[in-house]
Structures are given as structure tokens and as C-alpha cells.
Amino acid sequence: MSEPSFAPRPTLEAVAARAGVSRATASRVVNGGEGVRAPLVERVRRAVDELGYVPNQAARTLVTRRNDAIAVVVAEPETRFFSDPFFAQQVRGISRELTAHDNQLVLLLTEGAADYARVGRYLAGGHVDGALIFSLHADDSLPVLARRAGVPTVIGGRPGWSDGETLYVDCDNRGGAREAVHHLLGLGRRRVAHIAGPLDQTASVDRLDGFRDVLPETDPQLIAEGDFTPEGGARAMAELLERCPDLDAVFAASDVMASGALRVLRQRGRRVPEDVAVVGFDDIVSVADWTDPPLTTIRQDIEEMGRLMAHLLLRALEPPAQGAPGVPALSSIVTPTRLVVRGSA
Amino acid sequence: MSEPSFAPRPTLEAVAARAGVSRATASRVVNGGEGVRAPLVERVRRAVDELGYVPNQAARTLVTRRNDAIAVVVAEPETRFFSDPFFAQQVRGISRELTAHDNQLVLLLTEGAADYARVGRYLAGGHVDGALIFSLHADDSLPVLARRAGVPTVIGGRPGWSDGETLYVDCDNRGGAREAVHHLLGLGRRRVAHIAGPLDQTASVDRLDGFRDVLPETDPQLIAEGDFTPEGGARAMAELLERCPDLDAVFAASDVMASGALRVLRQRGRRVPEDVAVVGFDDIVSVADWTDPPLTTIRQDIEEMGRLMAHLLLRALEPPAQGAPGVPALSSIVTPTRLVVRGSA
DNA sequence: GTGAAAGCGCTAACAA
DNA sequence: TTGTTAGCGCTTTCAC
């Protein structure tokens, strides 16, 4: 297991020889067997089995220019990537779609901007046919890298710029936020606070904008910035309580932050939802369903968004539609959200 | 960003032409510039910059047979992989070591045995120079796949078989478990229970063995099997309390399970450590330091183990030592553990 | 020190 | 339907 294997892997040549056919025919069989007579197919198949032949990908890629592999690049410190269920769900969606189309998912981790050069080389080196990029912060250079590498890309979440050309998949953050606030107001709450995500990410900005759409006159003291971690949510909640002890509702920009906020509210003796109603965002079941009380939240279908990202990318990789006029160009996707009412509001 | 790039990437040929040298010389410069006169090096470098040349990896791999990429394969459902901090830490260690040696980490996710064929093809296809495999369960076929693919492999955790040849990195599970139990006994506890991990994994078995080394006569009722999740730990704790209400200590085979156990103990009104002392395993700080009370545990240096795995694999990939007699053969590594005392025991 | 040339293993025209 | 052949882009002897 530990030794480099010394027996060189068999080549197509060897398979062809053993089956008594030309390399071209062997290749045809290996790639599906279209247009090869049955008995030959059979012989080649047997030779493949007997020799344990597996095509050399480097050689194949060199001529086909396809890898059947897609990179997923996460612009986030590993720690958060691994601890935030959001990513896990999105990756699962991506993984499903990619696997269904026989593409390999290659996860590229970055421990910070220092790794970008390496990622850039990897992308430019032609290891993958496309890239999926997550969780961009303002001015992140990853998409530029990908573009420079000539790698088609789809971004998770609306990017900070808009060139009408960049493909992305996002949920209706702004609309969802509005719904959250409307729900709280419908409950008769009048001092609604907001725990925002990091404002260098569009998702946070969009949710804040939705909040402001409904409550344009909100006291700035009722808004605190978190960082999409439980601790950040807790910290923001503590700040808010200090600044506005009379608040009676909180809309947190993520379930994870909401869970931190709930902890602080409990510590301070505020009852939820009686004293303070709380609404989250995401509907990450493993979080929202386990808090005490269970979290009312705005649901976005994260796994589906992952699947859509992969789907969009795969379509972008297809040869440009020809002969079929009126095939719509590919465009970004914004998925709907909906309110899920549990115990916290 | 979304369009496949139509401008073909420049080749070495182009670089050579622009620099007015042969392809061979250009290649030498790109690969370090040994034995090329300075002015030529300079000209080639400039050409590379101006053209934005990046070597085509497929072509390079085809001749060198190196990818400078290592696969990390996880034999665990995605959900656990993403939610258990253990993996995150191990991957970080691996990532550090690999990056330091200019190797790319390629994370291969498996959603179950159904994906093994795909992973096998990927490995056999020669995309990577080696593989790191994690979290094996009994009879897992992943190592067999890797071997068949001819890919050198290092395994995280002692494998279930022993051929004296398979390289692995593990901590001293058995010794650590003994230390945990000794600590509890030293505290005067007399009814020590054990929450084991899934017994199809050697880490769980080894920890249980360590427990039994110290308490060979333990009532089987004092042992319950969990699954390395908080819920599993909670369930096991509930069982144990039911079966042996008089227990006064628990050694849990992981911090994550211990956190679940603590929750149950609190719910049932048992004070920790007064009524029941609890020791975990792993010392995952984000868990052990945050429980109430903070968890006394057996520390293993997970990140270091990841680093060692990568290091071992990289060494196994080096050309077999020649001319240097007495170079020791590579061997598996077992790292030490140590007790970290916090509040729970 | 530098260049010419021979492949690495495979696919895809093109001929037969 | 099958085989022949020409590369894909790169590294690496081997002459010069």
C-alpha cells in the first residue's frame, strides 16, 4: 500500500494487442463502443478486464481538453467552512449534481489569500473544466483568478460587482428579509432589531436592505453587525440589549447567529418569544430545530442552490448551442425564500 | 466569467518563439532554470510573463508521471465530515504540510459506498500521486481500491487489518484510555462507565480495550456504544443512567459524545463533577472548552497527526533512497496522548 | 549551454 | 466497421 507501484499500468496499446485490434478500436470500445461490431467489443472488454486497464487521464485530457472535474473554491477560512452547516449543505447539492453527470468534485481549500496563487495555478493548469466559488467577500480576487485562468465559473451568492455576465446563484435575500420583518410586525412588535452578517458580503447587505425596506426609519442603534458565527451573534445581541433594552424583536441574518443570540437572551432572563421574538435566516434544520425554543426562520433551499450552481456550470461548459435558434442564453438564478414558523416568533 | 475562453492558452512553443530560444531551453527555465545562462533565463521569464504562460498540467503529467496533487478520501457520510471538528483539524494539518511542499490537496467526498467506484476511477486515472484515507470502518474497501489503483496511501487511524506494510498514523488510543480511567479512579470513583465509539472502528475498539485494561471486571451494563455524534453520546448516557443509576463517572470515547452526555446528565439533575465525573477524548478545544463544565479530556494532537500523514505519504513518494545505505524504511506512526484536566473530572 | 528529436498515452480525422 | 496517422504540450536524452 505504501510502495509506489512498479508494475507500469497497462496502456491502450496493450489492450489492443491482446484483443487483436487496433488502438483506435480499443479506444472506441473504452469510450462507449459506438460503431464497433459486437464480437470485437466483447474481445476488447475482456482484454480490459484481464489487464485491469484504466485510461490515463493525463493523456486523455491532453487531447480532449476535458477533465470531467469541477473545482469548488471556498473563500473562507477553513475553520468556518468546516463548522458552518451552510457550506456542508451547499456542497452536498453540488456533489449530487456533479456526480449525476459523472463529474468529479475537487474541493480546493484556501487558508487565506496567501493560497490564492496556488489555487490560481491549479485552475490555470487545466486540472478542472470549471469552478464554483463560494462566499465571496468584497474585493475578493478569486473570480479574477478564475477568469484569468480561463476557467468558466459560477458564483454562490450575488457577487459584489455586476457586469451582467457573471453567472451566480443566490436566494431572494432581500425579499426574505422583508418577510421576516413583516412577520415580526404582524406579531405586534414595535422595536425590531437586526443582527446583520458581515457587511462585506452581499448576502448581508441584501438582508439589511430588506430590513430597511420595511423599516426605513429604524434607529441605527437597533442594528448590529455579526459575522455569521454563534459567537458573533451572541456578541451582537449583547450589544443590542445594552443599547436598546426595550427591544422586543430581533431579525438575525442567519440561524447560526440567531442561536448565539438566543443564548444571550436566555442568560439575560428575556423570555423568547414572550419578551423578545426572534427570526433567523437559512432554515438550517440542525440548528433551527434544536434551539430552545425552536427557531422561526426564513428558509432558503441551500442544497438546491448548490445543485443549481453545478447545473448552471455544466450547461455553460456544453458546446455553444448550434442549429437550435432561440436557445436562451444562460443566466443567473435567484431562488425564492419562505417563512417557516416555529417557536421563537 | 461564464464563457469558455476561446483564446487558447499559450504553449511553451509560443514562449520559446517569443524568447528566441528552443522549446527545451524554455522548459528548463520554467522548471527552475538550472544550467541556462542568465540572459536567456531573463528573456524566457519575460516571455512567460508577457504571454501569461502557465504549463499545461496534463502534458506535463503525461511525461513526468507526477501530479503534485494528493487526494484525501473520507470514508464517512458528508454530514459527519462537515460537522465534526475532528476532520477539520486533521485536514488543516494535511493541508499545511502539502502546501508547504507545493502539493495540491484534492478532497474527494463520498456519500457512501455507491461513490467508491467513482473514487476508484479517479485514483486509478492518475489524477493524484497518492491518497490519504480517513475514518475507516471495518471492511471498508477504500484501501483496496487505492491499492488496486496503484496509488500509495497513508491511512488515518490504525486499519482493521495488519499486514505490516500499510502505513498509518494514529494516536495511542489504548494508552490514552488507560490514563483517563486511572484519573477517574484516582478521584475515588468506583462505578466508572464507558461510552464507546462505533465498534467497527479501531479507534473505538482500542479505547475500549484501554478501559478494560484498567477495569477488566467491569459490568457490561456500564458500557454503551455511541457513534461519535453528540446525539449518540446523549443516547448512550441515557441508557447508562437507566441501567446503572449509581454510576459515578463516565469515560466517553470522544469530546463530541461527552458533550451530549453532559447535556443528559444536566437534564437528569446530576451534578458534574460532584455526582458524576466525566472525561472525554480528543481535546477538541471548540468543544471541550465550551461545555459546562469544561471538559477534562485526553488530548491527541489531531492537526499534527494530519501533518504527519501528509509527511509520511510525501516521503513514500520520493524515489527509493539509493546510495544511502541504512536509510530506515518508512513506518507507521503512533503519537502520544496526555490528560488535560478541566472542570468535569 | 543549447537545440533537435523522440516520445508520454490517448483521441479523432481520414482512409481503406 | 476498422485501421492508419497525426498530433495534444511537455520533458528529456543525446548530439552539438
Side-chain angles (χ1 to χ4, degrees):
Chain A
M1 186 124 318
S2 58
E3 299 300 314
S5 72
F6 290 109
R9 309 194 61 74
T11 69
L12 233 208
E13 188 75 53
V15 172
R18 183 171 192 112
V21 300
S22 72
R23 215 167 57 218
T25 297
S27 173
R28 290 185 189 107
V29 173
V30 169
N31 292 290
E34 294 292 286
V36 177
R37 238 187 289 274
L40 281 196
V41 171
E42 186 45 39
R43 264 157 59 195
V44 173
R45 290 251 160 84
R46 185 161 32 240
V48 166
D49 281 356
E50 289 167 356
L51 262 31
Y53 170 78
V54 179
N56 177 318
Q57 270 300 336
R60 179 178 270 176
T61 296
L62 189 54
V63 28
T64 61
R65 280 129 195 305
R66 298 202 90 254
N67 290 280
D68 296 315
I70 298 293
V72 171
V73 189
V74 188
E76 200 72 47
E78 255 171 77
T79 34
R80 228 204 100 210
F81 177 69
F82 279 108
S83 59
D84 192 330
F86 179 89
F87 296 113
Q89 280 189 45
Q90 195 132 337
V91 169
R92 177 162 338 120
I94 291 173
S95 179
R96 291 252 163 86
E97 179 74 10
L98 252 28
T99 301
H101 290 79
D102 253 306
N103 266 282
Q104 177 63 50
L105 186 163
V106 174
L107 194 51
L108 300 183
L109 301 173
T110 62
E111 284 201 62
D115 288 347
Y116 282 16
R118 192 171 41 76
V119 169
R121 278 202 311 277
Y122 190 83
L123 295 180
H127 290 273
V128 292
D129 301 327
L132 261 15
I133 303 184
F134 270 7
S135 190
L136 288 175
H137 295 248
D139 296 325
D140 199 300
S141 63
L142 233 25
V144 179
L145 271 181
R147 168 181 300 214
R148 208 178 302 155
V151 176
T153 302
V154 171
I155 297 189
R158 184 173 71 79
W161 67 93
S162 64
D163 53 11
E165 195 193 327
T166 304
L167 291 178
Y168 67 87
V169 174
D170 203 353
C171 77
D172 181 12
N173 287 304
R174 192 159 180 168
R178 281 196 293 258
E179 194 171 0
V181 180
H182 278 308
H183 178 69
L184 290 168
L185 294 179
L187 259 28
R189 307 299 163 135
R190 289 299 168 258
R191 288 283 280 171
V192 182
H194 178 48
I195 298 178
L199 293 174
D200 65 342
Q201 297 195 282
T202 55
S204 308
V205 173
D206 291 350
R207 290 170 199 177
L208 175 56
D209 284 347
F211 176 87
R212 285 201 175 118
D213 285 345
V214 183
L215 294 169
E217 313 279 81
T218 293
D219 180 355
Q221 298 286 327
L222 279 169
I223 298 176
E225 186 174 345
D227 60 1
F228 283 147
T229 70
E231 295 73 31
R235 219 175 305 125
M237 188 71 250
E239 272 177 42
L240 289 171
L241 283 174
E242 188 133 332
R243 298 201 296 239
C244 311
D246 61 332
L247 60 80
D248 59 7
V250 178
F251 164 47
S254 86
D255 288 352
V256 169
M257 291 197 297
S259 75
L262 286 176
R263 207 169 55 210
V264 169
L265 287 169
R266 195 175 329 122
Q267 283 168 358
R268 309 290 164 94
R270 309 287 181 116
R271 291 167 308 162
V272 177
E274 295 82 352
D275 302 332
V276 179
V278 176
V279 176
F281 202 109
D282 286 342
D283 194 29
I284 292 185
V285 176
S286 62
V287 174
D289 227 11
W290 282 79
T291 54
D292 178 24
L295 199 58
T296 291
T297 190
I298 300 296
R299 172 173 173 74
Q300 58 170 326
D301 192 338
I302 302 170
E303 186 173 331
E304 174 66 9
M305 287 167 67
R307 199 196 321 267
L308 287 171
M309 284 178 70
H311 185 72
L312 202 53
L313 181 58
L314 256 16
R315 287 201 48 201
L317 294 177
E318 286 169 2
Q322 49 193 343
V327 172
L330 296 179
S331 64
S332 297
I333 302 177
V334 175
T335 63
T337 59
R338 75 184 161 76
L339 179 71
V340 175
V341 178
R342 295 198 179 86
S344 69
Chain B
M1 186 124 321
S2 57
E3 300 298 316
S5 71
F6 290 108
R9 307 197 61 72
T11 69
L12 231 209
E13 187 75 54
V15 172
R18 182 170 193 114
V21 300
S22 73
R23 214 166 59 216
T25 296
S27 173
R28 291 188 186 104
V29 173
V30 168
N31 292 292
E34 294 292 287
V36 178
R37 237 187 289 274
L40 280 197
V41 171
E42 185 46 40
R43 264 158 57 195
V44 173
R45 290 250 160 85
R46 186 159 34 241
V48 165
D49 280 355
E50 289 168 355
L51 262 31
Y53 170 77
V54 178
N56 177 318
Q57 270 299 338
R60 178 177 272 178
T61 296
L62 189 55
V63 31
T64 62
R65 279 128 198 304
R66 298 202 92 254
N67 291 280
D68 296 314
I70 299 293
V72 171
V73 189
V74 189
E76 199 71 46
E78 255 170 77
T79 33
R80 229 205 98 209
F81 176 69
F82 279 108
S83 59
D84 193 329
F86 179 90
F87 296 112
Q89 280 188 46
Q90 195 132 338
V91 169
R92 177 163 338 120
I94 291 173
S95 180
R96 291 250 165 85
E97 179 74 10
L98 253 26
T99 302
H101 291 78
D102 253 307
N103 266 281
Q104 177 63 50
L105 186 164
V106 176
L107 194 52
L108 263 25
L109 301 173
T110 61
E111 285 200 60
D115 288 348
Y116 282 16
R118 191 170 40 77
V119 169
R121 277 202 311 275
Y122 190 83
L123 294 179
H127 286 107
V128 292
D129 302 327
L132 262 15
I133 303 184
F134 271 6
S135 190
L136 287 176
H137 295 249
D139 295 325
D140 199 300
S141 62
L142 233 24
V144 179
L145 271 181
R147 167 179 301 214
R148 208 178 302 155
V151 177
T153 302
V154 171
I155 297 189
R158 184 174 70 78
W161 65 93
S162 64
D163 51 12
E165 193 192 330
T166 303
L167 291 178
Y168 67 87
V169 175
D170 203 353
C171 77
D172 181 11
N173 288 304
R174 192 160 179 166
R178 280 196 294 256
E179 195 171 359
V181 179
H182 278 306
H183 178 69
L184 289 168
L185 294 179
L187 260 26
R189 306 300 164 136
R190 288 299 168 259
R191 288 285 279 170
V192 182
H194 178 49
I195 298 178
L199 293 173
D200 64 341
Q201 298 194 282
T202 55
S204 308
V205 173
D206 292 349
R207 290 169 199 178
L208 174 56
D209 284 346
F211 176 87
R212 287 203 175 117
D213 285 344
V214 184
L215 294 170
E217 313 279 82
T218 293
D219 180 355
Q221 296 288 326
L222 277 168
I223 297 176
E225 185 175 346
D227 59 0
F228 283 148
T229 69
E231 294 73 32
R235 218 175 305 125
M237 189 70 249
E239 269 177 46
L240 289 170
L241 283 175
E242 188 132 332
R243 297 201 295 237
C244 312
D246 61 333
L247 60 81
D248 58 8
V250 179
F251 164 47
S254 85
D255 288 352
V256 169
M257 290 197 297
S259 75
L262 286 176
R263 206 168 58 210
V264 169
L265 287 169
R266 196 176 326 120
Q267 283 167 1
R268 307 290 164 92
R270 309 288 182 114
R271 291 167 308 162
V272 176
E274 294 84 350
D275 302 332
V276 179
V278 177
V279 175
F281 201 110
D282 286 343
D283 193 29
I284 292 185
V285 177
S286 62
V287 174
D289 227 11
W290 281 80
T291 55
D292 178 24
L295 200 59
T296 291
T297 191
I298 300 297
R299 172 173 173 74
Q300 57 169 326
D301 193 338
I302 303 169
E303 186 172 331
E304 175 65 9
M305 289 167 66
R307 198 195 323 267
L308 287 171
M309 284 177 70
H311 185 74
L312 202 53
L313 181 58
L314 257 17
R315 287 202 47 203
L317 294 177
E318 285 169 2
Q322 46 193 343
V327 171
L330 296 179
S331 64
S332 296
I333 302 177
V334 176
T335 64
T337 57
R338 73 184 161 77
L339 179 71
V340 175
V341 179
R342 295 198 180 84
S344 68

